[in-house]
Structure formats: structure tokens, C-alpha cells
Amino acid sequence: MQNLTMLHNSTSILRLTFYTALLLLFASCSPARKVQKRGGYLMAGHSVKVDRPGIDTYDLLNFAQPKPNRKFLGLFRPGVLVYDLNSGGKDRKFKRWMRNNLGRAPVLLDSALIDNSLIPMRVYLNNKGYFGAEVQRRIELRGARAFVNYQTKTKDPFIFGQVVFDIPDDSLRYFLNTEGTASLITSGKQYDAYLMRDERERITRVLKDAGYYAFSREYIFFEVDTTRAKGKADIKVRVENVRTKPSGLMDSASFRPHQRYFISNIFVNTNFAEMVGDSLPKNDTLAYRKNNDSLLQPNPDFYLIYKNRLRIRPAALSRAVFIQPGTPFNQQKINLTYNRLQNLGLSRFVSVNLNPAEIAPELQPEGISLLDCDIRMVRSPVNMINPEVEATNAGGFVGLGGSLNYRNRNIFRGAETFRLKLRGAFEVEPDLGLGIEPRAGIFNSLEAGVETGLDFPTLLSPFRIEGINRNYRAKTTVALGLNYQQRSYYTRYVSYASFGYDWYSSNTTRHLFSPVELSSVSIVRDSTFNAILKDFKDPRYLNQYTDHLVMALKYSFIFNNQNLSSKKNYFYFRANFESAGNLLNLYSNIANAPVDEDGNFTLFRIRFAQYIRTDFDFRYYKPLTAKQQLVYRAALGVGVPYGNSSVLPFEKGFFAGGANGLRGWPIRSVGPGEYYTPVKSGFERVGDIWLEANLEYRFPMYSFLNGAFFIDAGNIWLLRENEDFPGGKLDLKKLPASLALDTGLGLRFDFSFFIFRIDGGLPVYDPGKLTDSRWFSISKFQLRDITWNFGIGYPF
């Protein structure tokens, strides 16, 4: 025993010596020390202290120069370390490559740059209404490092006083008063030059949408008067007419009203790349008019220019072209046409060009100008075949899989997309703890499937759907699928069919509605497995391995006001509602249909489910800096079986744990409630009620590598008492004690086109353990206590 203690102490001493040597190595290689030896100080950081809460420190820090080198994990600067390690001695080719490709030259303290940073900071404060503001700086030296602290000194900000618009052109004034939104500049608001810039953009946008094609923001001027009232800035917004150059004997310039433009002809070229160099007679032209009886519109809706054969129906293009002949130029409709044609998926390049119409002077209408619209599309390949190899993790079955994807993006010549996917996977079957030996071999489970679908770029319906704005994207989807799963103790077939709509009612609001979604599960169980299932009383286990059918109606509402070009807070909200089995149950009751041995109605001799299910997901994103962000998430779900069902179908039940939920536990391994079992079971746990909350702090680490610190809390519960899951029913009085809690760190490898994620979660509080051992003891920590989760993209 004494020898073991001595060995343990010796190991600890060796470990301490190793860590000390490692720290000394980093200290000796410290970039700051090397910089100081050269007579300089390493720029370590900036900070801003403001004297008023309304001043944005983030904006001020953007002006601070020079920018320090980035740190890794907030601890050290590896780029500078590599640069310094390869700067001394003989300059070899390998050292130069290391310096130029992996190294970063140390950013040194530069008083001139720091003083220059004060100028844009003062300008910024003046632009925000703090006239006469001052910014002072103080350099703090800590050893070989330099920190710069900035301090603002401001007076009370100015506010907007009287706001007057001076618009000599009556037509411009009319459109700004009738078609424009309310002015951004109003009396009583804090003076903000950036808000005045946005007001200039607003006026320009409104007038361009009203037909003033040649209008630009250079015609808008602001006159600011701060002399009338103390602390107030009166604003005159002046919209000038077009200045004409003097000619002849005239010495001074004159002004004329702005010209209004109308659309004359629209040309749509769907094979532009193939026609380059061709003469017009070699191409075919089709004049398309949606309403043939229109007498008020002399020109057709558009001229379709194509070569050899018509590859897309004009009616399909008309749904994406929002410009009409004879209407005023509208920049918003031009942009909408461009976006919709680009999103059809038929073209890899789309351009919308406007040119003066070629018309005889005597036919030119007085006071207006005509524009021809030339739309050019460079086609993408219609057929695509894409093989994929992937790692799978479906319900705890880890494996390797592959798929073959075929896509036709114009199958009926109307921009419809046909999808076909063949997939297969060999997986590792976990031990469920039931005494059944899995098949021999590593990959002892097989899964295969086929999926197919059709996407129509419009809402298909036998009747007119009111209230759907044509300006926003909409599609109809039809999907079919069949999945085959071969396990050691059963074989399962899952088939589904769905028909649904997907549309946007605004830039931030999306709707998904599936009037019919049919899924069927058919299972063939091993005789040994049948004998084991007889001992279970909980219908959830039996439902998981029993034939059943679900005929559901689903609706989802999604709101997302994220603006990638803005650093403002935004949030995401999703509400799902699902109802199943009501029509089938009504028909069965009316028809007095027979029931099975358990007293349930069936369809095609398969019991159908009946339930109502709803869930809500709310996420709030708060940017701290350009690279740092706090994300809050709260989710709630409830499912109520009734009528022909005593429990929710397994695939419709709620679960906790996994890469996108409680990351301290494997998927479907938490709950329900305070249910405790000393024997590990591989059965996946589901419940009727789901509650979850998450907090995640996201921060940059180095180059493409970002990090995250997270805290997760939540669980699932049952609506009714269940003898197989004692403590699993929801009890509001015991709700805090039944919430699982975990924390951990994550790595995000951001490769721009996709993000690979690794999260390591540690269970802090486990309600599924005995009362005196629910809290995790840090003194007993081991690496195996961490649950590792892998994913693509962010968890939420």
C-alpha cells in the first residue's frame, strides 16, 4: 500500500513537472517577450467606456486601430507564435513558408494609429447627435503587452425638431405622400445622421417603384439648422429636379421635372448561352399573352425567345415574371422577377436589363419614356445524378451508408422538380439488454430505402386559394417513400405518402400545410422477441414493434426575422399542429365497421392512430460582437392520444437527449420524468409532454474554428401513470426536481458551405438516478462521463 502511495505521489510530481515545463516553454516562446526585446509592445486589446448608456460600444470598437492578433481559445496567439519561431536564425525556404502561410506578424503598439482612431470615433458620436463629443485614450502597459482604453465625454444628444419636405415636383410629392411609407425622420427622435441616410434610401426606393427609373439619391439633400431651439436640429429634406446644362446664350442651368418611365416590351431569352453569336432569324420567338381577350394591353405579356424547341412552357415563366407591359417601371418588381427566376433552379445565371425602347419619335407618348426589358437566362443542366457516402446515426444505430440521388428540374417543362433517392446503410446494432444476442460482425444491421417526390413551383388546387400573395415563393410537394430495416430480432417496413403546400406570406413568415400525410409501419418479429414483449405492459413498447397506420393533417407556422446584413437581435418561432385519425374514426363509426381483438378500428387490417399533437420552438439570437453571439431557446410539446389510440405512435412521441437537445445524454435516453432503472436498457424512451430550454454562447477561436459553451435543461413526461415507468407522469409540484441539466463545450468547423459540429456534454443533474446521487460530483469526473455528439450545422 505504501509503495502504491509513493508511486501515485511520484506520478503527480512528474505530471506537475511536465505542466510546469510546458508553461515555461510557452513563456520562453511568448511573442510579447520577443517583441519587447526588439523595443516594442504587443498590441493586446481595446476597450471602450461610455458615459451614456445609449452609445454603442460595439460600433466604437470597430474604429479602434490597430487590431490585435486573434487568440486561440482566448489563451494565446498561435499565428504569432509560429511567425516568431520561424523568424530567427538562417532564413530557409521552409521557415519562409511557415511564416507566410501559418504565421501572423505580431501587431505592435502604434500611437499614431491609436490617435487616428479617435477621429472616426468623434465623427460617429457627432453623427449620432452628440455634437462636440470628445474621446480620450489611455495606454496601459502590462509587461510586454499594451492595452488601450477609450473614454467618451459627451453632452445631451440633439433631437430632431421641425421636419419639412421641400419637393418642387408635384408628381414626386404625390407619390411620396400616397405610395411611400412613413418617414424615418420624425420630430422628437434623437438626431441620427445614419437615419437620414436610410431616409434618403427610402425616398429613392419609393420613387423608383413609382416609375422614376433615372432617379437617384443624389437628388436628395438635407439642410440641418441647430440655431432655432437649444438641443434641437430642424431638418429640411429637399428633393431637387433634374438640372439641365446651359446651352446657347443661356448662362445658367435650368431645372426640369423628373421623367416617369413605363415598360414597353418584355423579352425572355431562356437559352442565352446557346444563342451568343447567332443572328436573330435563327431563333424562334413566341408572343405570350395570359389573357387572350385583353383589349387594353396592346403588347403581349412577353416575347419568349428560344432555339430549336420550347423547353419550358410560357405559363410557367409567367408565374415568375412580375413586370407587365404598359405599367410604370417598378424596381421592386424587377428584383422580384430576378429572384424568382433564379430560384426556379433552371438557370445558373439570370440578368434583367432595361434599355430605352426603340420607337419612332412620333409614336413616343408625351411626358413619359418607354423601356424594353431584356431577361436573359443561362441554363443549368436539367438532369443531375449525385452519389453520396455518409456516416449514419439513426436512433442510436451508428453505421456507414450511401445514397444515389437523381434530380430532374424540369420534368414537365414547367420548372417542376422530380427527386429520386436510393439509399442503404450497414449499421451497428446496440444491445437492448433483453438477452438477445445481436448478429455476429461489426455492421450487423441493414437499412435500405427509396424516396421519390415532385415539387411544383406553385400551389396546385382544384379551387382558387385566396389570401396567398403571388409576390412570395410557393410550392406544392408530393412525396412517396419506402424504408426497409433488418435487425436481429425483427424486420420492419415503413412506407409513407404525403401531399402538402409550402408558401411565404411575407419575407419573415412561412407556412407549411399537409392536408394528407399517410404513413404505415409493418413489422415481422422474431419468436424470441415476441416472448420477451409479452412481459411488457406499457403499450409504448408494444406500439414501437407493432403494425400501425397514421393518417394525419399537419400545419406549421414559422417566423424568422433574421437579417444577415444587420447586427440587431432577431428571433425564430415555429408552431406545429398535427391531428390524425379523426376522419377514419368518423367513417368507421358511421359505417359501423368491425373492430379487432383489442376493440380498435382498422384500415386494411391495420390499426390506425388517433391523436392531437402540437409543439412550439422559440429561439432568440443576441449578437454581442461581429463574431460572438448568445442564443436562447425554449421548446414545449404536448401530444394527446384518444379514441382509437391509448398512446401516441412511437414516431410521434417526444424524446430528449441527442445532438440538438440535451447534449449530456445520448438520443432518446432521458426520462420520462424521474423514472429510475438500475438496469441499462436499449429501448428508446418517448413521452407525451416535452419541455426544454437551452443557452449557448458562441465565440470565435481561430480562423475557421469557432467554439460554444452551452447549458441545456429539460425532460419528457407521461400524461398518465404507468407501472412500467414509475415517476414518469408529469407532476407540476415536482417539475423542478425532474428537469435534467447538462453543460459542455463544443467546436464548430465553419467551412462556409457547411458547418461540422462536435459537442461534448456533461450531465450535471440527472433526475433518472436515486435522489442522493443526482448531482454530478466533479471529484469523480472521468472522460467517459462526457457524451459526444456530432452534427452538421448549428443545433438551433
Side-chain angles (χ1 to χ4, degrees):
M1 186 67 181
Q2 185 176 4
N3 292 336
L4 289 175
T5 303
M6 292 177 62
L7 180 61
H8 175 74
N9 292 336
S10 300
T11 305
S12 301
I13 293 172
L14 288 173
R15 188 179 302 167
L16 180 61
T17 304
F18 172 75
Y19 289 147
T20 303
L22 192 62
L23 288 174
L24 290 174
L25 175 63
F26 274 112
S28 63
C29 299
S30 170
R33 290 181 178 274
K34 291 193 174 185
V35 169
Q36 193 178 33
K37 289 179 181 179
R38 299 168 188 160
Y41 292 90
L42 183 70
M43 191 66 220
H46 302 277
S47 66
V48 174
K49 186 177 181 181
V50 297
D51 58 339
R52 296 181 185 275
I55 301 175
D56 195 328
T57 58
Y58 170 74
D59 286 340
L60 286 173
L61 279 174
N62 280 336
F63 300 114
Q65 295 291 337
K67 302 293 184 185
N69 297 102
R70 294 185 63 178
K71 286 186 176 182
F72 179 75
L73 292 177
L75 300 176
F76 62 97
R77 297 175 172 86
V80 179
L81 184 63
V82 172
Y83 186 91
D84 279 343
L85 288 175
N86 293 273
S87 296
K90 190 174 182 179
D91 193 15
R92 299 181 182 276
K93 184 176 180 180
F94 176 74
K95 285 188 174 183
R96 289 196 300 272
W97 183 90
M98 291 288 290
R99 283 200 312 269
N100 297 332
N101 293 276
L102 301 180
R104 297 291 183 273
V107 177
L108 305 182
L109 174 67
D110 190 327
S111 299
L113 284 178
I114 294 173
D115 290 337
N116 288 338
S117 301
L118 302 178
I119 300 173
M121 289 184 181
R122 295 190 190 107
V123 172
Y124 170 82
L125 292 172
N126 277 270
N127 287 338
K128 297 298 284 188
Y130 301 98
F131 295 152
E134 287 295 328
V135 181
Q136 298 176 348
R137 57 88 166 171
R138 181 171 58 86
I139 300 175
E140 182 181 346
L141 301 178
R142 302 177 190 172
R145 293 173 175 82
F147 296 84
V148 182
N149 304 309
Y150 299 92
Q151 171 71 54
T152 64
K153 288 190 175 182
T154 61
K155 300 176 182 179
D156 291 336
F158 273 64
I159 62 174
F160 289 121
Q162 295 179 353
V163 180
V164 179
F165 286 81
D166 180 15
I167 308 175
D169 190 328
D170 294 337
S171 297
L172 296 189
R173 189 185 314 114
Y174 169 79
F175 287 114
L176 285 175
N177 290 337
T178 58
E179 296 185 16
T181 56
S183 173
L184 301 177
I185 304 175
T186 56
S187 180
K189 275 189 177 180
Q190 181 174 331
Y191 177 90
D192 191 336
Y194 304 105
L195 198 63
M196 296 164 65
R197 175 198 60 191
D198 295 340
E199 173 68 2
R200 175 180 285 175
E201 297 295 335
R202 184 195 71 86
I203 293 174
T204 304
R205 182 175 63 253
V206 169
L207 293 178
K208 277 186 170 290
D209 289 345
Y212 293 93
Y213 167 71
F215 188 87
S216 66
R217 59 186 178 183
E218 281 71 25
Y219 293 107
I220 305 172
F221 297 89
F222 293 92
E223 296 179 3
V224 182
D225 182 6
T226 59
T227 61
R228 187 184 65 86
K230 184 179 180 180
K232 291 185 177 181
D234 295 336
I235 306 295
K236 177 186 283 189
V237 184
R238 186 159 47 90
V239 183
E240 288 191 347
N241 285 339
V242 180
R243 181 188 295 266
T244 59
K245 295 181 180 180
S247 60
L249 300 176
M250 297 179 61
D251 294 329
S252 61
S254 60
F255 294 87
R256 62 174 176 82
H258 289 270
Q259 192 82 0
R260 198 172 182 214
Y261 290 77
F262 285 74
I263 301 298
S264 178
N265 295 305
I266 301 172
F267 303 94
V268 180
N269 190 331
T270 58
N271 304 89
F272 180 72
E274 299 178 11
M275 299 181 185
V276 175
D278 288 354
S279 58
L280 189 61
K282 292 184 180 180
N283 303 318
D284 295 313
T285 302
L286 172 67
Y288 174 77
R289 190 188 298 273
K290 184 176 181 180
N291 299 317
N292 293 323
D293 58 346
S294 174
L295 300 178
L296 300 178
Q297 184 176 312
N299 297 340
D301 292 350
F302 57 82
Y303 293 96
L304 179 59
I305 302 173
Y306 62 97
K307 184 177 180 180
N308 297 330
R309 64 188 182 90
L310 193 62
R311 298 182 182 179
I312 181 169
R313 299 194 310 273
L317 289 173
S318 69
R319 292 192 293 265
V321 176
F322 294 83
I323 318 162
Q324 293 181 344
T327 60
F329 166 82
N330 187 302
Q331 185 64 56
Q332 183 180 1
K333 290 184 178 180
I334 296 288
N335 297 338
L336 192 59
T337 298
Y338 170 81
N339 291 331
R340 189 60 55 83
L341 289 172
Q342 191 72 56
N343 289 329
L344 281 179
L346 294 173
S347 304
R348 64 175 180 268
F349 174 78
V350 174
S351 66
V352 182
N353 307 298
L354 294 161
N355 306 295
E358 297 180 359
I359 188 170
E362 62 272 12
L363 299 178
Q364 178 74 35
E366 186 177 354
I368 64 173
S369 296
L370 297 179
L371 295 171
D372 284 341
C373 182
D374 184 14
I375 301 175
R376 300 175 179 181
M377 302 170 61
V378 178
R379 292 282 298 265
S380 293
V382 174
N383 297 293
M384 295 181 61
I385 298 178
N386 182 28
E388 294 180 352
V389 178
E390 57 186 359
T392 64
N393 186 1
F397 287 73
V398 180
L400 294 174
S403 63
L404 184 65
N405 301 275
Y406 169 74
R407 187 181 295 262
N408 185 310
R409 294 185 285 196
N410 192 32
I411 190 167
F412 300 131
R413 296 191 303 116
E416 305 90 353
T417 299
F418 172 74
R419 297 172 282 109
L420 177 65
K421 182 176 183 178
L422 304 175
R423 64 177 301 272
F426 293 97
E427 299 167 331
V428 180
E429 183 177 5
D431 185 2
L432 297 183
L434 300 175
I436 302 178
E437 288 292 333
R439 289 190 180 93
I442 299 178
F443 298 108
N444 50 7
S445 176
L446 171 66
E447 185 169 345
V450 56
E451 303 171 13
T452 184
L454 265 174
D455 297 331
F456 299 88
T458 186
L459 299 182
L460 299 180
S461 175
F463 50 87
R464 182 178 177 83
I465 302 177
E466 300 291 343
I468 304 298
N469 193 335
R470 178 174 172 264
N471 292 353
Y472 298 101
R473 298 195 304 271
K475 70 176 180 179
T476 303
T477 300
V478 181
L480 299 169
L482 177 64
N483 186 259
Y484 168 79
Q485 301 171 354
Q486 186 183 69
R487 312 300 191 207
S488 297
Y489 39 89
Y490 69 85
T491 300
R492 179 159 51 193
Y493 302 88
V494 181
S495 57
Y496 69 89
S498 66
F499 175 84
Y501 302 106
D502 181 354
W503 75 96
Y504 287 81
S505 58
S506 70
N507 289 328
T508 58
T509 306
R510 182 183 179 189
H511 307 265
L512 296 96
F513 175 59
S514 296
V516 179
E517 187 173 279
L518 185 66
S519 62
S520 174
V521 176
S522 178
I523 189 165
V524 179
R525 300 185 302 226
D526 180 83
S527 57
T528 307
F529 191 48
N530 280 332
I532 293 174
L533 288 179
K534 289 180 180 179
D535 297 333
F536 288 95
K537 301 178 179 64
D538 182 27
R540 283 174 176 79
Y541 282 155
L542 300 177
N543 179 272
Q544 184 177 351
Y545 302 103
T546 305
D547 296 352
H548 60 277
L549 182 144
V550 177
M551 183 176 178
L553 176 147
K554 299 173 66 175
Y555 170 73
S556 297
F557 171 85
I558 302 173
F559 179 86
N560 184 1
N561 65 347
Q562 180 181 12
N563 185 354
L564 295 177
S565 62
S566 173
K567 63 180 181 65
K568 294 182 179 179
N569 304 344
Y570 62 94
F571 67 89
Y572 169 96
F573 174 74
R574 177 166 184 150
N576 301 316
F577 173 81
E578 183 175 346
S579 175
N582 295 322
L583 290 178
L584 294 177
N585 189 269
L586 178 62
Y587 167 78
S588 299
N589 279 290
I590 294 175
N592 198 21
V595 297
D596 61 10
E597 58 185 9
D598 297 323
N600 297 314
F601 292 118
T602 61
L603 180 66
F604 307 124
R605 297 183 180 181
I606 302 176
R607 177 181 55 83
F608 61 83
Q610 190 175 8
Y611 61 87
I612 290 179
R613 184 185 189 275
T614 185
D615 62 89
F616 306 91
D617 189 340
F618 177 82
R619 309 169 190 178
Y620 179 70
Y621 300 82
K622 183 178 179 60
L624 302 177
T625 65
K627 298 290 185 179
Q628 299 180 38
Q629 187 180 57
L630 271 177
V631 184
Y632 307 87
R633 175 176 176 259
L636 169 68
V638 180
V640 181
Y642 62 95
N644 211 51
S645 297
S646 59
V647 296
L648 289 174
F650 173 78
E651 62 273 16
K652 301 297 181 180
F654 298 100
F655 65 90
N660 298 321
L662 300 178
R663 284 163 280 185
W665 286 267
I667 188 170
R668 294 188 175 96
S669 63
V670 183
E674 297 181 86
Y675 167 66
Y676 164 74
T677 174
V679 181
K680 182 179 179 181
S681 173
F683 275 114
E684 298 172 344
R685 305 181 188 184
V686 294
D688 307 314
I689 303 171
W690 169 54
L691 180 63
E692 193 167 289
N694 313 86
L695 171 63
E696 183 166 293
Y697 167 58
R698 298 169 182 172
F699 54 90
M701 294 176 63
Y702 186 74
S703 185
F704 61 86
L705 181 62
N706 299 319
F709 169 74
F710 59 84
I711 300 174
D712 308 316
N715 207 336
I716 58 172
W717 294 268
L718 307 177
L719 284 172
R720 304 181 182 93
E721 292 285 0
N722 190 309
E723 59 181 294
D724 285 334
F725 295 99
K729 181 185 176 182
L730 176 64
D731 186 344
L732 294 178
K733 295 180 180 179
K734 298 181 179 180
L735 179 62
S738 61
L739 288 172
L741 179 67
D742 69 60
T743 187
L745 294 171
L747 299 176
R748 284 88 171 93
F749 299 86
D750 190 349
F751 300 109
S752 297
F753 52 93
F754 83 100
I755 295 174
F756 177 68
R757 170 168 52 93
I758 304 175
D759 287 325
L762 182 69
V764 177
Y765 178 82
D766 188 350
K769 292 184 177 181
L770 296 176
T771 306
D772 57 352
S773 60
R774 291 181 175 181
W775 288 99
F776 180 79
S777 176
I778 193 65
S779 62
K780 298 179 180 179
F781 170 76
Q782 295 181 347
L783 283 178
R784 65 186 180 197
D785 295 323
I786 298 177
T787 299
W788 298 100
N789 289 288
F790 305 89
I792 301 296
Y794 288 106
F796 41 80

